[in-house]
Amino acid sequence: MALFNRKNNDAPSTTATLAVDPALAALTGTYAIDPAHSSIGFTVRHAMVTNVRGSFGEHEGTLRLDGADPANSSASIDVKIASVDTGIADRDGHLVSGDFFEAEKFPLMTFRSTTAEQLGGDKYRVTGDLTIKDVTRPLAIDLEFNGSATDVYGNERVGFEGSTDILRSDWGLTWNAALETGGVMVSDKVKLNFDISAIKAAPQA
């Protein structure tokens, strides 16, 4: 089920129009990301031979969805760097230190979308500005719409999941250590992973 526009297959090919599914249009609104049921994480190669996975336990954000026109949709996310969790306390401490995120000085990683587009079916691309430390660079995130539901508490929810690859050095995260056998301790390439559940806000009176 596509979240945004669907092509009207009954229309003549020379005058094709876009028809809005009423059920999808009803999803239009502002949604708050539910951190208890969402995950923002990363995967990075360690010592050239294995992957280390981590996540940020504290984050908040807002999605503004337009069920008729994806170009009018937007996303805003704030991630608390100090909440990083890789399962190893010493490693987490190193990540928040000056060698990496310098979390005391730069406590948040932020994303602010600038454009949104439907790629086909339930797949979408959101492009925006990712800020880490004092560096802001453009980033495109490919997402899949997982659907909508009303939970047992009456909350209207939507779900998305997706990922994108970045080079951490583009955001000034350059710490590394050379290995005796060649290569480096931490790869420059990092995969960012998003699994988002968001709750629709009540309409304002």
Side-chain angles (χ1 to χ4, degrees), residues 95-112:
L95 287 173
V96 301
S97 75
D99 283 345
F100 285 96
F101 288 109
E102 200 172 351
E104 188 171 335
K105 183 176 181 181
F106 305 102
L108 294 179
M109 173 172 62
T110 65
F111 178 78
R112 301 289 185 266

Side-chain angles (χ1 to χ4, degrees), residues 104-125:
E104 188 171 335
K105 183 176 181 181
F106 305 102
L108 294 179
M109 173 172 62
T110 65
F111 178 78
R112 301 289 185 266
S113 69
T114 54
T115 62
E117 59 181 315
Q118 183 177 6
L119 302 179
D122 293 329
K123 298 185 183 301
Y124 299 86
R125 176 170 295 151

